[in-house]
Amino acid sequence: MQTDTFKDKVVIVTGGANGIGRCIAEEFRSLGAAVHVIDKQEGEHFVGDISKKEVLEAFASEVLKKHNKVDIIVNNALPLMKGIDECSYEEFQYALNVGVTAPFYLVKLFMPYLTYGASIINISSSRDRMSQPQTESYTAAKGGIAALTHALAVSLAGRARVNSISPGWIDTAYTVYEGPDARQQPAGRVGNPMDIANMVLFLCSDKAGFITGENICIDGGMTKQMIYHGDGGWKLEK
């Protein structure tokens, strides 16, 4: 993309202090956007816990003091992952607040200021369609945001396009894996944050103008590979 592709666009990124969110924020900045990040981690961004209604309202107010519009919202903040054996009611509710309620409310707060042709990207997970044991809070939140995506796409039709991305194994330290860790993905490697950021940039560009309500899984093909006991030396151990 040209260096000024998103010049003067106002971009919101939740959970943008590290990992995938940070990569997305940096890419938008490099292309000329004014990026506003909210994250629990201390830093030069807006610091706050998005599970709290008043924090979301304060963040939106700060953004709108500087701009009278919002062009792009990336709901990326990471929900808590705990399983049914240990996850309390409060912890499960917190995961849903971060993963589903906050994205919904943030879009609601900014909705009157969305520019025509705005883009909303929700970061889900390949866990929205497959699971490991003891991951209920995270999986429920990621499944929820994937469903929220097509609901918002219909409600905001003609105003904004809304899509979600479901990353698979993404190593935020850009570690290069070899052997089974790499080969279990048909693409032959583990993913990195740029694999997700590149799709975000595409979906927010004019080139994706006919795509809305879609969930795109970026997992190197891992969720498409059928595995049976004894296949390729894989064995299920009880």
Side-chain angles (χ1 to χ4, degrees), residues 6 22 45 49 71 81 98 145 152:
F6 294 101
R22 179 175 179 174
H45 49 269
D49 182 348
D71 298 285
M81 183 187 288
V98 171
I145 201 170
L152 286 173

Side-chain angles (χ1 to χ4, degrees), residues 105-179:
Y105 194 53
L106 204 57
V107 171
K108 184 176 178 68
L109 290 170
F110 285 124
M111 187 168 60
Y113 305 92
L114 290 176
T115 55
Y116 176 78
S119 186
I120 298 167
I121 307 295
N122 295 323
I123 304 299
S124 182
S125 168
S126 59
R127 292 173 188 269
D128 63 8
R129 68 205 67 192
M130 61 191 299
S131 293
Q132 290 175 299
Q134 302 303 319
T135 61
E136 279 76 13
S137 66
Y138 185 90
T139 299
K142 291 303 187 181
I145 201 170
L148 178 65
T149 295
H150 56 74
L152 286 173
V154 174
S155 294
L156 297 178
R159 181 71 174 275
R161 294 182 299 105
V162 188
N163 293 288
S164 61
I165 296 172
S166 292
W169 183 359
I170 304 296
D171 190 288
T172 57
Y174 293 85
T175 305
V176 176
Y177 292 82
E178 298 179 352

Side-chain angles (χ1 to χ4, degrees), residues 121 165 194-204 216 218:
I121 307 295
I165 296 172
M194 278 304 303
D195 292 315
I196 309 305
N198 284 332
M199 181 56 73
V200 171
L201 294 175
F202 170 71
L203 288 173
C204 292
I216 299 173
I218 302 178

Side-chain angles (χ1 to χ4, degrees), residues 39-77:
D39 199 291
K40 287 197 303 181
Q41 179 176 305
E42 294 294 328
E44 297 181 0
H45 49 269
F46 188 100
V47 178
D49 182 348
I50 68 168
S51 72
K52 295 179 169 57
K53 178 175 180 280
E54 61 273 17
V55 170
L56 294 171
E57 291 171 347
F59 173 62
S61 178
E62 180 171 295
V63 171
L64 295 172
K65 284 178 184 175
K66 299 175 181 177
H67 311 279
N68 62 357
K69 65 162 188 169
V70 172
D71 298 285
I72 295 166
I73 301 173
V74 182
N75 289 306
N76 166 78

